[in-house]
Amino acid sequence: MEKITRLYSKFQPEHYDIYVDVNREEKTITGKTTIQGNASEKQIAVHQKGLKVSSVKSSNNNLNYDVDDDNDMINIELPEAGAVEFSIEYQAKLTDSMMGIYPSYYEVNGEKKELVGTQFETNFARQAFPCVDEPEAKAKFNLAIKFDEKPGETAIANMPETKVEDGVHYFDETVRMSTYLVAFAFGDMQSKMTETKSGVKVGVFATKAHKANELDFALDIAKRAIEFYEDFYQTPYPLPHSWQLALPDFSAGAMENWGLVTYREALLLIDPDNTSLSTKQLVATVVTHELAHQWFGDLVTMRWWDDLWLNESFANMMEYVSVDALEPDWKIWETFQTSEAPAALQRDAIDGVQSVHVEVNHPAEIDALFDPAIVYAKGARMLVMVRALIGDDALRTGLKNYFAAHKYNNAAGKDLWDALGAASGIDLAKIMNSWLEQPGYPVVSASVEDGHLKLSQKQFFIGDGEDKGRQWQIPLNSNYADMPEIFKDATVDLGNYQELRQSNDKPFRVNVGNNSHFIVKYDQTLLNDILDHADELDSITKMQILQDLRLLAESRHISYASVIPVLSKFADSHSNVVNDALYRLAFNLKKFVDPDSEEEENLKHFMNTLSSDQVKRLGWTAKAGESNDDQLTRPTVLQASLYSEDEESVEAAHKIFEQNQDNLIGLPADTRVLVLANEIKNFSDVDVFEGLLDDYRHTSDPSYKSDICAALTATKDPKLLAIIVANFEDSKTIKPQDLRAWFRGVLANNEGQQFAWDWIRNEWQWLEDTVGGDMEFASFITVTSGIFHTRSRFDEFNEFFAPKVNNPGLTREIKMDTKSIETRVELVEAEKASVNDALAK
Ligand code: BES
Ligand code: ZN
């Protein structure tokens, strides 16, 4: 399979009648699809993958066809071009790949059950029924589903069920939509329902392994999110219902199927009695992300995958816009600063990174497009810049017009800029293309030279990078009056520094609010001025200083040792954004110290100094009425304290464990993982380990499961780590969807690293077969590269992955990850001594 052949130009489907009969017992799918449409020529093709086609007929006549498995196609010879209708009969296997139609496995009271669902994005609809499986090929769909149905089971889909006849569930015809958004599910489900002000039925569905009240939180958010979007977009939600379904097995995080959004259980279900604020925020942003797509993505869809950012960047921004409106007390934009911003700034600094808008030439490249740091995080930051430039009024007017012009149809990036440009009077394409089409971002250097305040921009690289002289149109957001709004040249002279300093009466800064996608390198004069006024800085600014210093140190623009004193300066902050940036930087120092060395002792001592007052202030238990910042900061500082092996903290956690031994799942959710990990690490005993592993196998609480995973992989006992690795391929213990977290845990553990590293190299083929056709696969490489920091691991990594670099779905990932380990190794070699000197003081 070399280049992508687009099928839509020869055949434009208008309507599909889809009948599928799924037998879970036998693991088979039998289907018949009837397609009406317009053929531009006699010789057409539709997509299929893994379908055993038994006939292709038109008006009961057999047509000539030829199945081309290499290209995922069926070539069909029609009697003539023009308006046509034909039917394809086929059989397929029901596989465990989490793509196409697939079963999810779970247990209720010891009884094993299966819930069948679908996942068609990016191009897996072709595994369920023959179709022109391209986002542009929009059509209407009638679904009819039969299955080995048991009493009490139900079926749901994009549209409401109209009737059940002879065991076949029929659903209403859909609106015009892309194939990748078709969805259905059946099994023994529970649900909760409500209705929006405008009469849209909203529902949450899950297996009966969960308590009914776990559905409530998402239901409330979903209802209010739809109401919010109908108002914000000034465009009604176009379907009669919006179902949210939690599937026990799920490859991605969540999927925006129109009218039937699917989720990982961990990202939809919330135990109202014991869930941390950060988990609630996460679920809320996931739900609002997928619901943002119901317009952006579903109603108007990118014409081709190169404009994936239109879908994902936009939904990623809107999740924050909407949650900020629904839950203003959460200050959710601060979470944007602690999650999206650092992810984008880190990844986008590596040479070889993709641009937000990117050509797609090979089928395997489609799945490799979904780089969360770029298409999601950077793209969202890009749109945040747009929003800041044009304001919400123009944004809403522009969007309303964009939806009106392209609804039930497709669009490209230019269409969005045209609509927003017309509403705002600003030529956005010109400004935004520098961000959209170019990879990377600039570091703006601010300095006082010959008495003048000067700025210059240059692409920022962590590691080697080829300087191609790229420039960006940078929204400056300075705190000084009369500064340029957009900085677009290589350098600019802002005038006499002393005069500016005097008339503005505060230290000079740019990128106030940290909303533009660049970092700032202040010269010593300007940085000292800022730090001398540290007490007057707001939290975002403090965070930003730590963020930029970390990146400048990672890239060796400044020495790592020089940022260590700044950490202590901000250590007493009560703000979560500051503490997040501070401990992110502090934990980054771990790579400079060898395990069990004197240097590691010094680092632990330093961490303890940073965190001890905060630990005293916050303690282990939430106080009535405490701030959100305190709730979010507590686990961060406790983790630092436990890392430093502070005796009081280790004892406190141990005591909490002992007091709750019979009900560990009931421990407060925000600190539970710390208590469990502390126990496993410092008071290890095989019974506790076995007990938790057993809980892992049987609990249906996804957040408890992820805590157990983090705790067990923290053990120092090599025998237990070997047991964990031996379970990697046992899907009854570790579901493939959760394997990456286990792998990461063992690999990051010094005592387990060799086991995990040997495992992935030996079992690469198994991994490819199990999670292969999907974006999860490449992320195992990313995870590995995030951990390795020694020369010998770099060599081994290179030896193993270099021969795989021509695999089109992995090329970019392998190149970037190789570079990022190499850069880290060189950084550690160059700065180890000075960092450890600084820590020794
Ligand atoms: N459309 C994606 C899901 C997806 C991604 C399907 C890649 C196929 C390939 C969905 O809208 C999404 O973005 N999901 C995120 C979670 C989201 C809340 C950021 C995911 O799955 O990671
Ligand atoms: Zn999305």
Side-chain angles (χ1 to χ4, degrees):
M1 193 152 57
E2 269 316 304
K3 259 192 98 97
I4 297 177
T5 325
R6 303 269 281 268
L7 307 185
Y8 182 65
S9 56
K10 290 188 194 167
F11 176 52
Q12 303 91 43
E14 276 150 20
H15 185 269
Y16 290 82
D17 257 309
I18 294 169
Y19 167 81
V20 288
D21 180 355
V22 181
N23 191 314
R24 288 168 290 190
E25 197 70 33
E26 321 240 295
K27 294 207 165 287
T28 56
I29 300 167
T30 314
K32 179 179 175 185
T33 299
T34 303
I35 314 177
Q36 293 159 348
N38 175 66
S40 312
E41 44 190 276
K42 270 170 64 176
Q43 198 63 60
I44 64 156
V46 294
H47 287 110
Q48 67 79 29
K49 190 168 186 188
L51 306 185
K52 232 175 93 204
V53 176
S54 52
S55 76
V56 181
K57 289 184 183 164
S58 182
S59 339
N60 268 327
N61 298 321
N62 281 309
L63 300 183
N64 282 337
Y65 69 92
D66 148 61
V67 176
D68 175 359
D69 281 322
D70 287 343
N71 289 299
D72 287 6
M73 284 177 358
I74 314 171
N75 294 304
I76 299 169
E77 193 183 318
L78 297 166
E80 56 195 0
V84 294
E85 173 174 326
F86 57 91
S87 303
I88 301 176
E89 291 186 308
Y90 62 94
Q91 288 195 312
K93 289 210 173 75
L94 183 66
T95 64
D96 293 334
S97 60
M98 297 187 276
M99 290 173 290
I101 303 170
Y102 72 91
S104 279
Y105 301 96
Y106 66 102
E107 250 182 61
V108 184
N109 304 327
E111 192 191 341
K112 291 194 169 23
K113 293 190 161 241
E114 287 178 32
L115 173 64
V116 170
T118 56
Q119 170 63 37
F120 292 166
E121 192 180 15
T122 51
N123 45 36
F124 315 126
R126 64 189 67 174
Q127 300 185 27
F129 54 90
C131 55
V132 177
D133 200 8
E134 295 166 4
E136 190 178 2
K138 288 197 174 186
K140 295 181 176 176
F141 298 83
N142 271 109
L143 288 180
I145 314 285
K146 190 170 187 293
F147 54 101
D148 45 354
E149 189 168 340
K150 295 179 194 132
E153 292 190 317
T154 48
I156 52 178
N158 305 89
M159 295 293 287
E161 188 175 83
T162 49
K163 60 175 179 183
V164 186
E165 228 170 63
D166 302 328
V168 183
H169 296 248
Y170 292 88
F171 296 89
D172 226 346
E173 182 181 70
T174 70
V175 294
R176 196 166 182 272
M177 62 188 277
S178 303
T179 49
Y180 80 89
L181 295 168
V182 173
F184 59 85
F186 55 81
D188 187 15
M189 295 176 269
Q190 61 173 322
S191 64
K192 287 240 176 130
M193 307 270 180
T194 182
E195 208 172 289
T196 64
K197 280 187 275 197
S198 61
V200 178
K201 287 207 177 71
V202 181
V204 176
F205 293 74
T207 71
K208 291 179 181 164
H210 299 276
K211 290 178 291 182
N213 65 3
E214 291 177 42
L215 283 60
D216 296 341
F217 178 82
L219 186 66
D220 171 59
I221 292 285
K223 167 183 181 285
R224 293 193 290 134
I226 293 173
E227 290 170 350
F228 171 81
Y229 288 132
E230 288 198 318
D231 175 57
F232 192 88
Y233 294 147
Q234 300 169 72
T235 307
Y237 177 83
L239 308 183
H241 72 219
S242 171
W243 298 158
Q244 329 298 317
L245 165 64
L247 288 170
D249 290 274
F250 202 80
S251 160
M255 176 64 213
E256 69 266 29
N257 315 299
W258 215 356
L260 175 50
V261 184
T262 45
Y263 300 80
R264 271 187 188 228
E265 293 185 329
L267 296 180
L268 188 69
L269 306 176
I270 288 278
D271 179 351
D273 301 322
N274 188 19
T275 299
S276 65
L277 176 60
S278 56
T279 303
K280 284 185 192 157
Q281 293 183 344
L282 176 65
V283 167
T285 52
V286 174
V287 171
T288 51
H289 175 106
E290 303 310 336
L291 293 176
H293 275 313
Q294 306 298 297
W295 289 260
F296 237 95
D298 296 2
L299 181 62
V300 180
T301 311
M302 73 252 142
R303 179 152 292 118
W304 181 243
W305 297 105
D306 62 335
D307 269 323
L308 177 68
W309 69 274
L310 266 185
N311 274 11
E312 298 303 348
S313 307
F314 209 88
N316 206 23
M317 171 176 77
M318 288 310 296
E319 57 186 86
Y320 293 91
V321 173
S322 58
V323 169
D324 195 36
L326 301 183
E327 298 290 339
D329 292 346
W330 285 356
K331 297 185 289 181
I332 200 72
W333 284 107
E334 295 199 346
T335 305
F336 188 83
Q337 296 290 359
T338 57
S339 59
E340 317 289 343
L345 290 167
Q346 188 77 33
R347 176 101 169 157
D348 203 23
I350 302 171
D351 201 13
V353 69
Q354 71 189 60
S355 46
V356 174
H357 174 253
V358 56
E359 295 297 320
V360 184
N361 295 312
H362 191 287
E365 288 175 359
I366 297 177
D367 284 331
L369 282 175
F370 288 78
D371 185 334
I374 302 303
V375 176
Y376 289 77
K378 180 185 181 180
R381 293 198 97 200
M382 231 178 61
L383 293 168
V384 166
M385 289 195 283
V386 169
R387 184 177 180 222
L389 280 171
I390 70 176
D392 264 356
D393 287 346
L395 178 66
R396 293 180 58 192
T397 309
L399 288 179
K400 180 182 178 208
N401 296 338
Y402 174 82
F403 290 127
H406 305 289
K407 61 183 174 192
Y408 306 111
N409 239 311
N410 299 81
K414 182 179 177 303
D415 298 316
L416 180 65
W417 300 142
D418 286 351
L420 299 183
S424 63
I426 298 177
D427 185 355
L428 286 172
K430 203 165 133 207
I431 299 172
M432 294 319 293
N433 279 347
S434 68
W435 297 100
L436 202 69
E437 305 294 340
Q438 304 190 103
Y441 64 92
V443 49
V444 169
S445 299
S447 55
V448 180
E449 287 167 42
D450 308 327
H452 277 225
L453 181 57
K454 291 184 180 169
L455 300 182
S456 64
Q457 62 163 299
K458 203 171 170 22
Q459 183 167 1
F460 177 71
F461 291 113
I462 297 180
D464 295 339
E466 190 191 344
D467 194 337
K468 296 199 164 148
R470 294 190 173 110
Q471 284 178 22
W472 285 264
Q473 303 229 7
I474 304 174
L476 259 192
N477 298 320
S478 174
N479 64 338
Y480 275 19
D482 304 322
M483 292 290 121
E485 197 176 358
I486 304 276
F487 168 39
K488 55 180 183 298
D489 302 311
T491 59
V492 61
D493 185 337
L494 299 172
N496 183 288
Y497 174 62
Q498 284 312 334
E499 284 169 17
L500 286 166
R501 179 65 178 87
Q502 212 151 31
S503 62
N504 285 285
D505 196 26
K506 56 194 161 196
F508 173 73
R509 294 200 307 107
V510 291
N511 203 7
V512 172
N514 202 41
N515 283 326
S516 295
H517 188 52
F518 70 95
I519 61 168
V520 193
K521 183 180 180 183
Y522 297 101
D523 74 0
Q524 213 54 54
T525 313
L526 297 170
L527 184 62
N528 287 346
D529 194 16
I530 295 170
L531 292 178
D532 288 347
H533 295 79
D535 297 345
E536 299 152 31
L537 300 175
D538 60 79
S539 323
I540 296 287
T541 305
K542 288 184 185 165
M543 177 277 297
Q544 191 178 26
I545 288 167
L546 292 165
Q547 156 196 290
D548 289 6
L549 289 178
R550 176 175 61 80
L551 291 160
L552 291 168
E554 290 285 324
S555 66
R556 300 172 65 188
H557 275 82
I558 60 174
S559 87
Y560 231 108
S562 74
V563 303
I564 292 175
V566 185
L567 292 174
S568 314
K569 227 181 164 78
F570 293 153
D572 62 354
S573 171
H574 291 199
S575 151
N576 179 55
V577 279
V578 176
N579 287 311
D580 179 89
L582 191 135
Y583 287 96
R584 191 187 294 271
L585 216 170
F587 276 113
N588 251 300
L589 299 172
K590 274 168 75 177
K591 58 179 172 261
F592 294 103
V593 302
D594 294 328
D596 308 319
S597 63
E598 195 188 324
E599 284 83 11
E600 189 182 50
E601 278 310 306
N602 290 338
L603 176 58
K604 287 180 175 171
H605 180 73
F606 177 67
M607 286 280 207
N608 207 10
T609 326
L610 282 181
S611 58
S612 61
D613 284 352
Q614 298 270 25
V615 169
K616 279 198 200 86
R617 180 173 79 83
L618 294 167
W620 279 84
T621 5
K623 300 179 178 57
E626 71 180 359
S627 69
N628 288 346
D629 278 287
D630 284 352
Q631 287 183 54
L632 295 169
T633 296
R634 176 174 295 107
T636 312
V637 295
L638 287 175
Q639 192 190 1
S641 186
L642 290 173
Y643 168 77
S644 65
E645 289 174 351
D646 175 78
E647 263 173 49
E648 270 176 45
S649 292
V650 170
E651 265 315 306
H654 182 45
K655 212 164 137 204
I656 295 174
F657 181 89
E658 290 195 314
Q659 284 165 349
N660 294 275
Q661 205 143 11
D662 301 329
N663 183 24
L664 293 171
I665 192 174
L667 284 168
D670 55 350
T671 48
R672 183 174 53 203
V673 66
L674 301 174
V675 172
L676 298 181
N678 181 65
E679 196 63 20
I680 289 288
K681 224 188 214 160
N682 301 318
F683 304 88
S684 193
D685 113 19
V686 179
D687 290 343
V688 173
F689 182 94
E690 294 285 349
L692 283 171
L693 190 58
D694 197 56
D695 275 8
Y696 183 87
R697 289 193 177 104
H698 295 111
T699 181
S700 58
D701 181 333
S703 94
Y704 186 42
K705 285 186 86 154
S706 98
D707 289 351
I708 294 175
C709 164
L712 295 188
T713 54
T715 175
K716 292 175 185 160
D717 183 343
K719 282 198 298 296
L720 298 180
L721 288 159
I723 292 178
I724 295 176
V725 175
N727 275 298
F728 276 4
E729 291 168 46
D730 172 19
S731 66
K732 292 197 181 64
T733 302
I734 300 177
K735 283 171 174 279
Q737 67 165 11
D738 299 320
L739 179 55
R740 197 183 52 199
W742 285 91
F743 170 72
R744 187 211 304 259
V746 180
L747 195 78
N749 180 331
N750 196 48
E751 312 302 327
Q753 187 166 91
Q754 193 64 43
F755 297 137
W757 181 220
D758 288 342
W759 173 81
I760 199 169
R761 286 180 295 176
N762 292 330
E763 298 301 303
W764 187 253
Q765 192 56 50
W766 175 87
L767 191 64
E768 184 163 8
D769 295 342
T770 310
V771 297
D774 143 311
M775 65 171 187
E776 282 283 300
F777 184 44
S779 67
F780 277 81
I781 315 178
T782 327
V783 160
T784 307
S785 81
I787 291 168
F788 285 176
H789 58 270
T790 62
R791 177 74 52 190
S792 53
R793 287 295 187 221
F794 170 69
D795 292 338
E796 292 167 8
F797 182 94
N798 208 12
E799 187 185 341
F800 184 69
F801 285 112
K804 299 178 172 38
V805 76
N806 289 327
N807 179 340
L810 301 179
T811 306
R812 180 162 47 228
E813 197 54 52
I814 292 176
K815 283 189 181 160
M816 285 182 69
D817 291 343
T818 307
K819 173 164 288 180
S820 89
I821 303 175
E822 186 177 25
T823 306
R824 195 175 307 124
V825 169
E826 284 169 358
L827 169 72
V828 169
E829 285 172 353
E831 308 222 353
K832 195 173 182 165
S834 64
V835 167
N836 283 311
D837 278 354
L839 285 173
K841 283 178 200 148

